[in-house]
PDB file of all heavy atoms in Angstrom:
ATOM      1  N   GLU A 990       2.502 -23.372  73.944  1.00 92.00           N
ATOM      2  CA  GLU A 990       3.253 -24.141  72.945  1.00 92.00           C
ATOM      3  C   GLU A 990       3.489 -25.566  73.428  1.00 92.00           C
ATOM      4  O   GLU A 990       3.802 -25.806  74.595  1.00 92.00           O
ATOM      5  CB  GLU A 990       4.598 -23.452  72.684  1.00 92.00           C
ATOM      6  CG  GLU A 990       5.423 -24.119  71.622  1.00 92.00           C
ATOM      7  CD  GLU A 990       6.757 -23.417  71.407  1.00 92.00           C
ATOM      8  OE1 GLU A 990       7.037 -22.419  72.098  1.00 92.00           O
ATOM      9  OE2 GLU A 990       7.511 -23.882  70.552  1.00 92.00           O
ATOM     10  N   VAL A 991       3.352 -26.526  72.527  1.00 93.00           N
ATOM     11  CA  VAL A 991       3.674 -27.922  72.821  1.00 93.00           C
ATOM     12  C   VAL A 991       5.184 -28.067  72.696  1.00 93.00           C
ATOM     13  O   VAL A 991       5.770 -27.733  71.666  1.00 93.00           O
ATOM     14  CB  VAL A 991       2.940 -28.873  71.856  1.00 93.00           C
ATOM     15  CG1 VAL A 991       3.375 -30.306  72.088  1.00 93.00           C
ATOM     16  CG2 VAL A 991       1.437 -28.733  72.039  1.00 93.00           C
ATOM     17  N   LEU A 992       5.828 -28.574  73.759  1.00 90.00           N
ATOM     18  CA  LEU A 992       7.296 -28.573  73.816  1.00 90.00           C
ATOM     19  C   LEU A 992       7.926 -29.951  73.621  1.00 90.00           C
ATOM     20  O   LEU A 992       9.010 -30.209  74.111  1.00 90.00           O
ATOM     21  CB  LEU A 992       7.755 -27.984  75.159  1.00 90.00           C
ATOM     22  CG  LEU A 992       7.342 -26.536  75.402  1.00 90.00           C
ATOM     23  CD1 LEU A 992       7.755 -26.086  76.796  1.00 90.00           C
ATOM     24  CD2 LEU A 992       7.933 -25.621  74.334  1.00 90.00           C
ATOM     25  N   PHE A 993       7.258 -30.840  72.911  1.00 88.00           N
ATOM     26  CA  PHE A 993       7.890 -32.111  72.591  1.00 88.00           C
ATOM     27  C   PHE A 993       7.684 -32.403  71.112  1.00 88.00           C
ATOM     28  O   PHE A 993       6.839 -31.812  70.454  1.00 88.00           O
ATOM     29  CB  PHE A 993       7.361 -33.255  73.466  1.00 88.00           C
ATOM     30  CG  PHE A 993       5.981 -33.716  73.112  1.00 88.00           C
ATOM     31  CD1 PHE A 993       5.796 -34.744  72.203  1.00 88.00           C
ATOM     32  CD2 PHE A 993       4.876 -33.129  73.672  1.00 88.00           C
ATOM     33  CE1 PHE A 993       4.534 -35.160  71.862  1.00 88.00           C
ATOM     34  CE2 PHE A 993       3.606 -33.543  73.347  1.00 88.00           C
ATOM     35  CZ  PHE A 993       3.437 -34.561  72.434  1.00 88.00           C
ATOM     36  N   THR A 994       8.500 -33.309  70.601  1.00 89.00           N
ATOM     37  CA  THR A 994       8.452 -33.652  69.190  1.00 89.00           C
ATOM     38  C   THR A 994       8.299 -35.157  69.036  1.00 89.00           C
ATOM     39  O   THR A 994       8.937 -35.924  69.763  1.00 89.00           O
ATOM     40  CB  THR A 994       9.762 -33.216  68.498  1.00 89.00           C
ATOM     41  OG1 THR A 994       9.944 -31.820  68.720  1.00 89.00           O
ATOM     42  CG2 THR A 994       9.735 -33.488  67.019  1.00 89.00           C
ATOM     43  N   ILE A 995       7.502 -35.562  68.098  1.00 89.00           N
ATOM     44  CA  ILE A 995       7.385 -36.981  67.761  1.00 89.00           C
ATOM     45  C   ILE A 995       8.547 -37.319  66.841  1.00 89.00           C
ATOM     46  O   ILE A 995       8.721 -36.687  65.789  1.00 89.00           O
ATOM     47  CB  ILE A 995       6.035 -37.273  67.080  1.00 89.00           C
ATOM     48  CG1 ILE A 995       4.897 -36.991  68.056  1.00 89.00           C
ATOM     49  CG2 ILE A 995       5.985 -38.708  66.581  1.00 89.00           C
ATOM     50  CD1 ILE A 995       3.517 -37.117  67.465  1.00 89.00           C
ATOM     51  N   THR A 996       9.348 -38.300  67.223  1.00 90.00           N
ATOM     52  CA  THR A 996      10.545 -38.615  66.443  1.00 90.00           C
ATOM     53  C   THR A 996      10.354 -39.792  65.495  1.00 90.00           C
ATOM     54  O   THR A 996      11.183 -40.010  64.628  1.00 90.00           O
ATOM     55  CB  THR A 996      11.745 -38.908  67.364  1.00 90.00           C
ATOM     56  OG1 THR A 996      11.415 -39.989  68.229  1.00 90.00           O
ATOM     57  CG2 THR A 996      12.109 -37.678  68.179  1.00 90.00           C
ATOM     58  N   SER A 997       9.275 -40.547  65.658  1.00 88.00           N
ATOM     59  CA  SER A 997       9.028 -41.661  64.739  1.00 88.00           C
ATOM     60  C   SER A 997       8.461 -41.132  63.417  1.00 88.00           C
ATOM     61  O   SER A 997       8.106 -39.959  63.299  1.00 88.00           O
ATOM     62  CB  SER A 997       8.044 -42.655  65.362  1.00 88.00           C
ATOM     63  OG  SER A 997       6.788 -42.043  65.556  1.00 88.00           O
ATOM     64  N   ASP A 998       8.384 -42.004  62.443  1.00 89.00           N
ATOM     65  CA  ASP A 998       7.814 -41.640  61.145  1.00 89.00           C
ATOM     66  C   ASP A 998       6.316 -41.439  61.312  1.00 89.00           C
ATOM     67  O   ASP A 998       5.557 -42.386  61.448  1.00 89.00           O
ATOM     68  CB  ASP A 998       8.092 -42.743  60.128  1.00 89.00           C
ATOM     69  CG  ASP A 998       7.468 -42.460  58.776  1.00 89.00           C
ATOM     70  OD1 ASP A 998       7.100 -41.295  58.499  1.00 89.00           O
ATOM     71  OD2 ASP A 998       7.342 -43.417  57.983  1.00 89.00           O
ATOM     72  N   GLN A 999       5.889 -40.182  61.307  1.00 87.00           N
ATOM     73  CA  GLN A 999       4.483 -39.878  61.577  1.00 87.00           C
ATOM     74  C   GLN A 999       3.547 -40.439  60.508  1.00 87.00           C
ATOM     75  O   GLN A 999       2.427 -40.828  60.813  1.00 87.00           O
ATOM     76  CB  GLN A 999       4.291 -38.370  61.723  1.00 87.00           C
ATOM     77  CG  GLN A 999       4.940 -37.836  62.982  1.00 87.00           C
ATOM     78  CD  GLN A 999       4.519 -36.425  63.274  1.00 87.00           C
ATOM     79  OE1 GLN A 999       3.363 -36.083  63.129  1.00 87.00           O
ATOM     80  NE2 GLN A 999       5.463 -35.608  63.684  1.00 87.00           N
ATOM     81  N   GLN A1000       3.992 -40.508  59.268  1.00 86.00           N
ATOM     82  CA  GLN A1000       3.110 -41.023  58.223  1.00 86.00           C
ATOM     83  C   GLN A1000       2.784 -42.498  58.415  1.00 86.00           C
ATOM     84  O   GLN A1000       1.747 -42.963  57.969  1.00 86.00           O
ATOM     85  CB  GLN A1000       3.699 -40.772  56.851  1.00 86.00           C
ATOM     86  CG  GLN A1000       3.673 -39.292  56.502  1.00 86.00           C
ATOM     87  CD  GLN A1000       3.971 -39.033  55.050  1.00 86.00           C
ATOM     88  OE1 GLN A1000       4.505 -39.887  54.353  1.00 86.00           O
ATOM     89  NE2 GLN A1000       3.628 -37.852  54.586  1.00 86.00           N
ATOM     90  N   SER A1001       3.636 -43.231  59.106  1.00 86.00           N
ATOM     91  CA  SER A1001       3.329 -44.640  59.362  1.00 86.00           C
ATOM     92  C   SER A1001       2.425 -44.807  60.577  1.00 86.00           C
ATOM     93  O   SER A1001       1.875 -45.882  60.796  1.00 86.00           O
ATOM     94  CB  SER A1001       4.618 -45.450  59.554  1.00 86.00           C
ATOM     95  OG  SER A1001       5.268 -45.066  60.744  1.00 86.00           O
ATOM     96  N   ASN A1002       2.258 -43.756  61.369  1.00 82.00           N
ATOM     97  CA  ASN A1002       1.432 -43.837  62.578  1.00 82.00           C
ATOM     98  C   ASN A1002       0.121 -43.061  62.484  1.00 82.00           C
ATOM     99  O   ASN A1002      -0.839 -43.388  63.170  1.00 82.00           O
ATOM    100  CB  ASN A1002       2.219 -43.326  63.785  1.00 82.00           C
ATOM    101  CG  ASN A1002       3.391 -44.217  64.095  1.00 82.00           C
ATOM    102  OD1 ASN A1002       3.256 -45.417  64.213  1.00 82.00           O
ATOM    103  ND2 ASN A1002       4.567 -43.624  64.201  1.00 82.00           N
ATOM    104  N   PHE A1003       0.076 -42.019  61.693  1.00 82.00           N
ATOM    105  CA  PHE A1003      -1.119 -41.190  61.560  1.00 82.00           C
ATOM    106  C   PHE A1003      -1.654 -41.360  60.144  1.00 82.00           C
ATOM    107  O   PHE A1003      -1.104 -40.818  59.195  1.00 82.00           O
ATOM    108  CB  PHE A1003      -0.806 -39.725  61.875  1.00 82.00           C
ATOM    109  CG  PHE A1003      -0.319 -39.533  63.277  1.00 82.00           C
ATOM    110  CD1 PHE A1003       1.032 -39.410  63.548  1.00 82.00           C
ATOM    111  CD2 PHE A1003      -1.209 -39.505  64.338  1.00 82.00           C
ATOM    112  CE1 PHE A1003       1.492 -39.252  64.850  1.00 82.00           C
ATOM    113  CE2 PHE A1003      -0.761 -39.348  65.640  1.00 82.00           C
ATOM    114  CZ  PHE A1003       0.593 -39.227  65.893  1.00 82.00           C
ATOM    115  N   HIS A1004      -2.701 -42.142  60.021  1.00 82.00           N
ATOM    116  CA  HIS A1004      -3.202 -42.570  58.715  1.00 82.00           C
ATOM    117  C   HIS A1004      -4.333 -41.673  58.208  1.00 82.00           C
ATOM    118  O   HIS A1004      -5.434 -42.115  57.972  1.00 82.00           O
ATOM    119  CB  HIS A1004      -3.662 -44.030  58.794  1.00 82.00           C
ATOM    120  CG  HIS A1004      -2.608 -44.942  59.320  1.00 82.00           C
ATOM    121  ND1 HIS A1004      -1.508 -45.303  58.582  1.00 82.00           N
ATOM    122  CD2 HIS A1004      -2.459 -45.531  60.524  1.00 82.00           C
ATOM    123  CE1 HIS A1004      -0.736 -46.096  59.297  1.00 82.00           C
ATOM    124  NE2 HIS A1004      -1.288 -46.245  60.484  1.00 82.00           N
ATOM    125  N   ASP A1005      -4.031 -40.411  58.060  1.00 82.00           N
ATOM    126  CA  ASP A1005      -4.989 -39.499  57.444  1.00 82.00           C
ATOM    127  C   ASP A1005      -4.268 -38.777  56.301  1.00 82.00           C
ATOM    128  O   ASP A1005      -3.102 -39.043  56.031  1.00 82.00           O
ATOM    129  CB  ASP A1005      -5.568 -38.513  58.462  1.00 82.00           C
ATOM    130  CG  ASP A1005      -4.526 -37.586  59.073  1.00 82.00           C
ATOM    131  OD1 ASP A1005      -3.345 -37.659  58.691  1.00 82.00           O
ATOM    132  OD2 ASP A1005      -4.893 -36.776  59.933  1.00 82.00           O
ATOM    133  N   LYS A1006      -4.953 -37.884  55.632  1.00 87.00           N
ATOM    134  CA  LYS A1006      -4.343 -37.245  54.461  1.00 87.00           C
ATOM    135  C   LYS A1006      -3.170 -36.335  54.801  1.00 87.00           C
ATOM    136  O   LYS A1006      -2.353 -36.040  53.949  1.00 87.00           O
ATOM    137  CB  LYS A1006      -5.390 -36.495  53.649  1.00 87.00           C
ATOM    138  CG  LYS A1006      -5.932 -35.240  54.278  1.00 87.00           C
ATOM    139  CD  LYS A1006      -6.943 -34.587  53.351  1.00 87.00           C
ATOM    140  CE  LYS A1006      -7.387 -33.256  53.893  1.00 87.00           C
ATOM    141  NZ  LYS A1006      -8.306 -32.596  52.977  1.00 87.00           N
ATOM    142  N   HIS A1007      -3.062 -35.902  56.081  1.00 86.00           N
ATOM    143  CA  HIS A1007      -1.965 -35.023  56.472  1.00 86.00           C
ATOM    144  C   HIS A1007      -0.733 -35.801  56.930  1.00 86.00           C
ATOM    145  O   HIS A1007       0.387 -35.329  56.797  1.00 86.00           O
ATOM    146  CB  HIS A1007      -2.408 -34.057  57.569  1.00 86.00           C
ATOM    147  CG  HIS A1007      -3.558 -33.210  57.149  1.00 86.00           C
ATOM    148  ND1 HIS A1007      -3.454 -32.203  56.220  1.00 86.00           N
ATOM    149  CD2 HIS A1007      -4.858 -33.229  57.520  1.00 86.00           C
ATOM    150  CE1 HIS A1007      -4.622 -31.633  56.027  1.00 86.00           C
ATOM    151  NE2 HIS A1007      -5.504 -32.242  56.804  1.00 86.00           N
TER     152      HIS A1007
END
Side-chain angles (χ1 to χ4, degrees):
E990 183 181 1
V991 175
L992 298 176
F993 74 91
T994 304
I995 296 175
T996 58
S997 64
D998 177 17
Q999 291 192 41
Q1000 290 192 343
S1001 68
N1002 294 309
F1003 299 99
H1004 306 287
D1005 63 2
K1006 71 179 186 177
H1007 301 289

